[in-house]
Structure formats: C-alpha cells, structure tokens
Amino acid sequence: EAGVTQSPTHLIKTRGQQATLRCSPISGHTSVYWYQQALGLGLQFLLWYDEGEERNRGNFPPRFSGRQFPNYSSELNVNALELEDSALYLCASTAYEQYFGPGTRLTVT
Amino acid sequence: RKEVEQDPGPFNVPEGATVAFNCTYSNSASQSFFWYRQDCRKEPKLLMSVYSSGNEDGRFTAQLNRASQYISLLIRDSKLSDSATYLCVVGTSGGSYIPTFGRGTSLIVHP
C-alpha cells in the first residue's frame, strides 16, 4: 500500500512569490493535516481538511490557505512568501494515528 | 504552561543502556497519545500509540499516567540506530481533533 506522498521535495522561491505544495494521502484516508516545521522547532499545526472541507486552521495568517480535492489529495498555498516561511512542510494522512509524507522543504530567499 | 512539554535533551547514552523519556500534557481531556520518532531532516514516523494499560513493542515500552498527566517511553538495550528525536503527541477527541506535538527529546546512542 502506497504511503503519503508529497511534491515537490524541494522548492526555492523568492520573497513575495507564491508557493503551491501537494499531498496525496494513504488510500482510504479522508483526513489530511498540514504542519510547518521550521529549523530547530516543533511541528506547528497549519490546516486540517476532511471530506473536502477545511475543519480547522492553526495560528497562521490568511496567506496560508489550501484545499482538498474529491480524491482527498490536498494542496497548500502560501502567498506573499516571507523569509520566515522557510521550513519543512509536512502533511499527514489520518485515520486514527497520523502518517506523514516526506515533506516539502521550502526555501525563501 | 505549554500544552505538551518534553525535556529537549540531548540524552547521551552508551549502547545497551536503558533510557526513559517523559512527556507532560496540560489538557486533562486528552484522550489519544503517541510517540513518534524523527530523524534529522526527515518526517516523523509513528513509533507507537500509548494505551491506558501501557503497551510494549520489542525494546520499547510506553505508559500513560492520567492522574499526573504524563506519558513515558522506555527504550531498553539501546542501539546506535535509536539515535533520533522522539516526539510526544497528545490529542483530544471530539469534533475538532488537533493533535499537539511536543518539541521532542533528542537521543544520542554512542558506541
């Protein structure tokens, strides 16, 4: 059974640009969580999608947004990138426990 | 008080040692508990769920103390490959399930 996949693996953007990150959950899982992990810090909850709807969001500005598609894959969009957005972005597929994808490392220069 | 607290370490132990980590949580309504392992610059991987009665998986034992609001992870016979950061995760049930991650405890097992 395929695990959680994320793309791209690495993404380099300049300040002010927009980034789009993608996640495909484990087959049969309808819930996707997004997290940000800045260097040396813990995982910070960003967004939760379930059955195509946003269920909750963390303490992040509105320029962090996303959506979930009918096949339960998900997209995270970050607009007006700032230097401090540089981090590892992880998505997790959830039934009860959370299973993480390999992450997208976003670098903003 | 932080929602989930862990001693960041590092815990520096020789191969074969037994090491234990604790994790305290502040929300008494928490109902789900997990330990994850995260290697440097990699994604967290589920190590084990933590059940009320405690549970064991090989060299790893997890326990939950609801009265004192902490969970623990015991690693016996440490291997070099156990070197990693161990994340404690606590969640509440209900309509809005948002798990809270601790910052992690770093373990270094040396020869």
Side-chain angles (χ1 to χ4, degrees):
Chain A
E1 181 182 286
V4 180
T5 60
Q6 290 187 246
S7 64
T9 304
H10 294 88
L11 191 56
I12 300 174
K13 295 283 187 178
T14 56
R15 205 166 48 179
Q17 285 189 314
Q18 186 232 6
T20 298
L21 289 63
R22 297 180 176 84
C23 170
S24 290
I26 292 170
S27 177
H29 288 187
T30 63
S31 257
V32 172
Y33 289 70
W34 286 95
Y35 296 90
Q36 180 196 68
Q37 187 175 34
L39 192 63
L41 298 181
L43 274 75
Q44 301 297 313
F45 167 69
L46 267 166
L47 289 158
W48 170 29
Y49 292 96
D50 184 50
E51 297 282 359
E53 293 192 15
E54 181 180 304
R55 301 295 184 180
N56 211 326
R57 64 179 294 127
N59 189 24
F60 281 84
R63 59 190 184 82
F64 287 83
S65 65
R67 53 181 171 165
Q68 187 177 35
F69 300 99
N71 67 353
Y72 304 117
S73 67
S74 178
E75 197 173 84
L76 173 69
N77 295 292
V78 188
N79 294 319
L81 284 164
E82 299 178 2
L83 296 177
E84 52 265 34
D85 296 334
S86 295
L88 178 66
Y89 289 83
L90 293 158
C91 85
S93 172
T94 301
Y96 172 61
E97 296 119 344
Q98 297 205 329
Y99 297 91
F100 286 85
T104 293
R105 190 162 298 279
L106 173 64
T107 302
V108 183
T109 62
Chain B
R1 182 180 175 187
K2 291 182 184 174
E3 288 188 65
V4 177
E5 289 199 68
Q6 295 183 252
D7 180 344
F11 284 64
N12 205 319
V13 303
E15 268 187 293
T18 295
V19 62
F21 310 136
N22 280 345
C23 166
T24 59
Y25 60 95
S26 60
N27 187 345
S28 59
S30 299
Q31 296 187 14
S32 57
F33 309 89
F34 308 93
W35 283 103
Y36 281 76
R37 169 201 170 117
Q38 186 173 27
D39 293 288
C40 187
R41 298 175 71 82
K42 298 280 193 176
E43 75 274 23
K45 291 189 187 296
L46 179 66
L47 186 63
M48 57 200 305
S49 303
V50 186
Y51 303 116
S52 295
S53 55
N55 46 304
E56 187 175 308
D57 183 2
R59 298 181 294 109
F60 299 84
T61 300
Q63 293 195 313
L64 166 64
N65 185 316
R66 285 191 185 275
S68 301
Q69 295 185 204
Y70 75 86
I71 64 173
S72 64
L73 177 68
L74 181 77
I75 305 175
R76 290 181 298 278
D77 189 23
S78 298
K79 312 290 185 191
L80 295 176
S81 57
D82 293 336
S83 298
T85 296
Y86 291 83
L87 306 176
C88 160
V89 184
V90 176
T92 53
S93 297
S96 185
Y97 177 74
I98 307 296
T100 302
F101 285 74
R103 292 275 299 267
T105 297
S106 175
L107 172 65
I108 300 170
V109 182
H110 59 82

Short mmCIF file of all heavy atoms in Angstrom, two decimals, chain B residues 39-82:
data_model
loop_
_atom_site.label_atom_id
_atom_site.label_comp_id
_atom_site.label_asym_id
_atom_site.label_seq_id
_atom_site.Cartn_x
_atom_site.Cartn_y
_atom_site.Cartn_z
N ASP B 39 14.02 11.40 12.51
CA ASP B 39 15.44 11.51 12.19
C ASP B 39 15.70 12.87 11.57
O ASP B 39 14.79 13.52 11.02
CB ASP B 39 15.86 10.38 11.24
CG ASP B 39 15.77 9.03 11.92
OD1 ASP B 39 16.62 8.77 12.78
OD2 ASP B 39 14.83 8.26 11.62
N CYS B 40 16.97 13.29 11.61
CA CYS B 40 17.33 14.63 11.18
C CYS B 40 16.85 14.91 9.75
O CYS B 40 17.12 14.16 8.83
CB CYS B 40 18.84 14.79 11.27
SG CYS B 40 19.39 16.47 10.98
N ARG B 41 16.08 15.98 9.60
CA ARG B 41 15.60 16.46 8.31
C ARG B 41 14.68 15.45 7.59
O ARG B 41 14.54 15.48 6.37
CB ARG B 41 16.77 16.84 7.41
CG ARG B 41 17.61 17.97 7.98
CD ARG B 41 18.83 18.25 7.12
NE ARG B 41 18.50 18.86 5.86
CZ ARG B 41 18.27 20.15 5.68
NH1 ARG B 41 18.33 20.97 6.70
NH2 ARG B 41 17.98 20.62 4.48
N LYS B 42 14.07 14.57 8.39
CA LYS B 42 13.12 13.61 7.83
C LYS B 42 11.76 13.82 8.48
O LYS B 42 11.61 14.58 9.42
CB LYS B 42 13.59 12.18 8.11
CG LYS B 42 14.92 11.83 7.50
CD LYS B 42 14.77 11.48 6.05
CE LYS B 42 16.03 10.84 5.52
NZ LYS B 42 15.87 10.39 4.13
N GLU B 43 10.77 13.10 7.94
CA GLU B 43 9.44 13.20 8.52
C GLU B 43 9.31 12.37 9.78
O GLU B 43 10.02 11.36 9.95
CB GLU B 43 8.37 12.75 7.50
CG GLU B 43 8.26 11.26 7.28
CD GLU B 43 9.21 10.74 6.24
OE1 GLU B 43 10.25 11.37 5.96
OE2 GLU B 43 8.91 9.65 5.69
N PRO B 44 8.42 12.74 10.68
CA PRO B 44 8.17 11.90 11.87
C PRO B 44 7.56 10.56 11.45
O PRO B 44 6.74 10.50 10.53
CB PRO B 44 7.16 12.71 12.68
CG PRO B 44 7.24 14.10 12.16
CD PRO B 44 7.62 13.97 10.72
N LYS B 45 7.97 9.51 12.14
CA LYS B 45 7.41 8.19 11.90
C LYS B 45 6.80 7.67 13.19
O LYS B 45 7.41 7.78 14.26
CB LYS B 45 8.50 7.23 11.40
CG LYS B 45 9.01 7.56 10.00
CD LYS B 45 9.92 6.49 9.47
CE LYS B 45 10.56 6.88 8.15
NZ LYS B 45 9.56 7.04 7.07
N LEU B 46 5.62 7.11 13.08
CA LEU B 46 4.93 6.60 14.25
C LEU B 46 5.73 5.47 14.88
O LEU B 46 6.09 4.50 14.22
CB LEU B 46 3.54 6.09 13.84
CG LEU B 46 2.70 5.49 14.96
CD1 LEU B 46 2.32 6.56 15.98
CD2 LEU B 46 1.45 4.83 14.38
N LEU B 47 6.01 5.63 16.16
CA LEU B 47 6.71 4.59 16.91
C LEU B 47 5.69 3.69 17.59
O LEU B 47 5.70 2.48 17.43
CB LEU B 47 7.63 5.24 17.94
CG LEU B 47 8.55 4.33 18.74
CD1 LEU B 47 9.53 3.62 17.82
CD2 LEU B 47 9.31 5.13 19.80
N MET B 48 4.81 4.30 18.35
CA MET B 48 3.75 3.53 19.00
C MET B 48 2.68 4.43 19.56
O MET B 48 2.93 5.57 19.93
CB MET B 48 4.31 2.61 20.09
CG MET B 48 5.10 3.30 21.18
SD MET B 48 6.20 2.16 22.08
CE MET B 48 5.09 0.88 22.63
N SER B 49 1.47 3.89 19.59
CA SER B 49 0.38 4.54 20.31
C SER B 49 0.55 4.19 21.78
O SER B 49 1.18 3.19 22.12
CB SER B 49 -0.97 4.03 19.80
OG SER B 49 -1.09 4.24 18.42
N VAL B 50 -0.02 4.98 22.65
CA VAL B 50 0.08 4.74 24.08
C VAL B 50 -1.31 4.47 24.63
O VAL B 50 -2.20 5.32 24.50
CB VAL B 50 0.70 5.95 24.82
CG1 VAL B 50 0.93 5.61 26.28
CG2 VAL B 50 1.99 6.39 24.15
N TYR B 51 -1.48 3.31 25.24
CA TYR B 51 -2.79 2.93 25.76
C TYR B 51 -2.80 3.03 27.27
O TYR B 51 -1.76 3.00 27.92
CB TYR B 51 -3.14 1.52 25.30
CG TYR B 51 -3.12 1.37 23.80
CD1 TYR B 51 -2.21 0.54 23.16
CD2 TYR B 51 -4.01 2.09 23.00
CE1 TYR B 51 -2.18 0.43 21.78
CE2 TYR B 51 -3.97 1.99 21.62
CZ TYR B 51 -3.07 1.15 21.02
OH TYR B 51 -3.04 1.05 19.66
N SER B 52 -4.00 3.13 27.81
CA SER B 52 -4.15 3.34 29.26
C SER B 52 -3.45 2.25 30.07
O SER B 52 -2.91 2.52 31.13
CB SER B 52 -5.64 3.37 29.62
OG SER B 52 -6.26 4.48 29.04
N SER B 53 -3.48 1.02 29.53
CA SER B 53 -2.90 -0.10 30.27
C SER B 53 -1.41 -0.22 30.04
O SER B 53 -0.75 -1.11 30.59
CB SER B 53 -3.60 -1.39 29.84
OG SER B 53 -3.51 -1.53 28.43
N GLY B 54 -0.87 0.68 29.22
CA GLY B 54 0.55 0.57 28.87
C GLY B 54 0.72 -0.44 27.76
O GLY B 54 -0.09 -1.35 27.60
N ASN B 55 1.76 -0.29 26.99
CA ASN B 55 1.99 -1.24 25.91
C ASN B 55 3.47 -1.33 25.58
O ASN B 55 4.24 -0.42 25.86
CB ASN B 55 1.16 -0.91 24.66
CG ASN B 55 1.19 0.55 24.28
OD1 ASN B 55 0.86 1.43 25.07
ND2 ASN B 55 1.57 0.83 23.05
N GLU B 56 3.82 -2.48 25.02
CA GLU B 56 5.21 -2.79 24.77
C GLU B 56 5.35 -3.26 23.33
O GLU B 56 4.49 -3.96 22.80
CB GLU B 56 5.65 -3.91 25.73
CG GLU B 56 7.12 -4.24 25.71
CD GLU B 56 7.47 -5.25 26.79
OE1 GLU B 56 7.12 -5.03 27.96
OE2 GLU B 56 8.09 -6.28 26.44
N ASP B 57 6.45 -2.85 22.70
CA ASP B 57 6.74 -3.30 21.34
C ASP B 57 8.23 -3.55 21.28
O ASP B 57 9.02 -2.63 21.11
CB ASP B 57 6.32 -2.23 20.33
CG ASP B 57 6.55 -2.69 18.90
OD1 ASP B 57 6.99 -3.84 18.68
OD2 ASP B 57 6.29 -1.89 17.97
N GLY B 58 8.61 -4.81 21.49
CA GLY B 58 10.03 -5.14 21.49
C GLY B 58 10.75 -4.46 22.62
O GLY B 58 10.41 -4.62 23.80
N ARG B 59 11.74 -3.64 22.28
CA ARG B 59 12.54 -2.96 23.30
C ARG B 59 11.88 -1.69 23.82
O ARG B 59 12.43 -1.02 24.70
CB ARG B 59 13.91 -2.61 22.69
CG ARG B 59 14.73 -3.81 22.26
CD ARG B 59 16.09 -3.40 21.68
NE ARG B 59 15.98 -2.65 20.43
CZ ARG B 59 16.23 -1.36 20.32
NH1 ARG B 59 16.60 -0.65 21.37
NH2 ARG B 59 16.13 -0.75 19.14
N PHE B 60 10.75 -1.34 23.27
CA PHE B 60 10.08 -0.08 23.61
C PHE B 60 8.84 -0.33 24.46
O PHE B 60 8.02 -1.18 24.12
CB PHE B 60 9.68 0.66 22.32
CG PHE B 60 10.84 1.02 21.45
CD1 PHE B 60 11.36 0.11 20.54
CD2 PHE B 60 11.42 2.28 21.53
CE1 PHE B 60 12.45 0.44 19.74
CE2 PHE B 60 12.50 2.62 20.72
CZ PHE B 60 13.01 1.70 19.83
N THR B 61 8.73 0.45 25.53
CA THR B 61 7.55 0.37 26.40
C THR B 61 7.01 1.76 26.61
O THR B 61 7.76 2.69 26.95
CB THR B 61 7.91 -0.25 27.76
OG1 THR B 61 8.42 -1.56 27.56
CG2 THR B 61 6.67 -0.33 28.65
N ALA B 62 5.71 1.92 26.42
CA ALA B 62 5.06 3.22 26.63
C ALA B 62 4.05 3.09 27.75
O ALA B 62 3.37 2.07 27.87
CB ALA B 62 4.38 3.67 25.35
N GLN B 63 3.95 4.13 28.55
CA GLN B 63 2.98 4.12 29.64
C GLN B 63 2.30 5.48 29.73
O GLN B 63 2.85 6.50 29.34
CB GLN B 63 3.67 3.78 30.96
CG GLN B 63 4.20 2.35 31.00
CD GLN B 63 4.55 1.91 32.40
OE1 GLN B 63 5.20 2.64 33.11
NE2 GLN B 63 4.10 0.72 32.78
N LEU B 64 1.09 5.43 30.27
CA LEU B 64 0.28 6.63 30.44
C LEU B 64 -0.10 6.77 31.90
O LEU B 64 -0.55 5.80 32.51
CB LEU B 64 -0.99 6.53 29.58
CG LEU B 64 -2.11 7.53 29.85
CD1 LEU B 64 -1.66 8.94 29.55
CD2 LEU B 64 -3.34 7.16 29.03
N ASN B 65 0.10 7.94 32.45
CA ASN B 65 -0.32 8.22 33.82
C ASN B 65 -1.29 9.40 33.75
O ASN B 65 -0.88 10.56 33.67
CB ASN B 65 0.89 8.58 34.69
CG ASN B 65 0.51 8.75 36.15
OD1 ASN B 65 -0.49 9.39 36.48
ND2 ASN B 65 1.31 8.17 37.04
N ARG B 66 -2.58 9.07 33.77
CA ARG B 66 -3.59 10.13 33.62
C ARG B 66 -3.65 11.03 34.84
O ARG B 66 -3.90 12.23 34.73
CB ARG B 66 -4.97 9.51 33.39
CG ARG B 66 -5.15 8.95 31.99
CD ARG B 66 -6.60 8.59 31.75
NE ARG B 66 -6.81 7.95 30.47
CZ ARG B 66 -6.99 8.63 29.33
NH1 ARG B 66 -6.99 9.95 29.32
NH2 ARG B 66 -7.18 7.98 28.20
N ALA B 67 -3.44 10.46 36.01
CA ALA B 67 -3.54 11.24 37.24
C ALA B 67 -2.51 12.37 37.25
O ALA B 67 -2.81 13.50 37.64
CB ALA B 67 -3.35 10.33 38.45
N SER B 68 -1.30 12.05 36.80
CA SER B 68 -0.24 13.04 36.79
C SER B 68 -0.06 13.68 35.42
O SER B 68 0.81 14.54 35.25
CB SER B 68 1.09 12.41 37.24
OG SER B 68 0.97 11.88 38.54
N GLN B 69 -0.86 13.23 34.47
CA GLN B 69 -0.86 13.80 33.12
C GLN B 69 0.51 13.75 32.47
O GLN B 69 1.08 14.78 32.07
CB GLN B 69 -1.44 15.22 33.13
CG GLN B 69 -2.90 15.24 33.51
CD GLN B 69 -3.55 16.62 33.41
OE1 GLN B 69 -4.54 16.88 34.08
NE2 GLN B 69 -3.02 17.49 32.61
N TYR B 70 1.03 12.54 32.37
CA TYR B 70 2.26 12.37 31.59
C TYR B 70 2.26 11.01 30.93
O TYR B 70 1.56 10.08 31.34
CB TYR B 70 3.51 12.58 32.44
CG TYR B 70 3.86 11.45 33.39
CD1 TYR B 70 4.63 10.37 32.96
CD2 TYR B 70 3.45 11.49 34.71
CE1 TYR B 70 4.96 9.35 33.83
CE2 TYR B 70 3.77 10.48 35.60
CZ TYR B 70 4.53 9.41 35.15
OH TYR B 70 4.85 8.41 36.02
N ILE B 71 3.03 10.93 29.85
CA ILE B 71 3.30 9.65 29.22
C ILE B 71 4.80 9.43 29.22
O ILE B 71 5.57 10.40 29.32
CB ILE B 71 2.72 9.55 27.78
CG1 ILE B 71 3.40 10.55 26.83
CG2 ILE B 71 1.22 9.76 27.79
CD1 ILE B 71 3.00 10.36 25.38
N SER B 72 5.19 8.20 29.13
CA SER B 72 6.62 7.89 29.16
C SER B 72 6.96 6.89 28.06
O SER B 72 6.10 6.16 27.56
CB SER B 72 7.00 7.32 30.53
OG SER B 72 6.33 6.09 30.75
N LEU B 73 8.22 6.91 27.69
CA LEU B 73 8.75 5.96 26.72
C LEU B 73 10.04 5.41 27.30
O LEU B 73 10.94 6.17 27.66
CB LEU B 73 9.02 6.64 25.38
CG LEU B 73 9.64 5.76 24.30
CD1 LEU B 73 8.65 4.69 23.84
CD2 LEU B 73 10.10 6.59 23.11
N LEU B 74 10.11 4.10 27.38
CA LEU B 74 11.30 3.42 27.89
C LEU B 74 11.92 2.64 26.74
O LEU B 74 11.22 1.89 26.04
CB LEU B 74 10.92 2.46 29.01
CG LEU B 74 12.07 1.70 29.67
CD1 LEU B 74 12.82 2.60 30.63
CD2 LEU B 74 11.53 0.46 30.42
N ILE B 75 13.21 2.84 26.53
CA ILE B 75 13.94 2.10 25.50
C ILE B 75 14.99 1.25 26.20
O ILE B 75 15.85 1.78 26.90
CB ILE B 75 14.62 3.04 24.49
CG1 ILE B 75 13.60 3.99 23.87
CG2 ILE B 75 15.32 2.23 23.40
CD1 ILE B 75 14.23 5.04 22.94
N ARG B 76 14.88 -0.05 26.01
CA ARG B 76 15.85 -0.97 26.61
C ARG B 76 16.90 -1.36 25.57
O ARG B 76 16.63 -1.36 24.36
CB ARG B 76 15.15 -2.23 27.12
CG ARG B 76 14.27 -2.01 28.34
CD ARG B 76 13.63 -3.33 28.78
NE ARG B 76 12.78 -3.88 27.73
CZ ARG B 76 11.53 -3.49 27.52
NH1 ARG B 76 10.97 -2.55 28.27
NH2 ARG B 76 10.81 -4.02 26.55
N ASP B 77 18.09 -1.73 26.05
CA ASP B 77 19.14 -2.23 25.17
C ASP B 77 19.33 -1.30 23.96
O ASP B 77 19.19 -1.71 22.80
CB ASP B 77 18.80 -3.65 24.71
CG ASP B 77 19.93 -4.33 23.97
OD1 ASP B 77 21.10 -3.93 24.17
OD2 ASP B 77 19.66 -5.24 23.17
N SER B 78 19.61 -0.05 24.22
CA SER B 78 19.71 0.96 23.17
C SER B 78 20.68 0.56 22.06
O SER B 78 21.76 0.00 22.32
CB SER B 78 20.19 2.29 23.78
OG SER B 78 19.27 2.77 24.72
N LYS B 79 20.28 0.85 20.85
CA LYS B 79 21.11 0.61 19.67
C LYS B 79 21.55 1.95 19.08
O LYS B 79 20.88 2.97 19.28
CB LYS B 79 20.32 -0.15 18.59
CG LYS B 79 19.56 -1.37 19.08
CD LYS B 79 20.48 -2.49 19.45
CE LYS B 79 19.67 -3.74 19.82
NZ LYS B 79 20.54 -4.75 20.45
N LEU B 80 22.64 1.92 18.33
CA LEU B 80 23.10 3.13 17.66
C LEU B 80 21.98 3.71 16.79
O LEU B 80 21.81 4.93 16.70
CB LEU B 80 24.33 2.86 16.80
CG LEU B 80 25.59 2.42 17.53
CD1 LEU B 80 26.70 2.09 16.52
CD2 LEU B 80 26.07 3.49 18.50
N SER B 81 21.22 2.82 16.19
CA SER B 81 20.15 3.25 15.28
C SER B 81 18.96 3.88 16.01
O SER B 81 18.05 4.42 15.35
CB SER B 81 19.65 2.05 14.46
OG SER B 81 19.21 1.02 15.33
N ASP B 82 18.96 3.83 17.32
CA ASP B 82 17.89 4.50 18.07
C ASP B 82 18.13 6.00 18.17
O ASP B 82 17.25 6.76 18.60
CB ASP B 82 17.79 3.93 19.50
CG ASP B 82 17.30 2.49 19.53
OD1 ASP B 82 16.62 2.07 18.57
OD2 ASP B 82 17.62 1.79 20.51
#
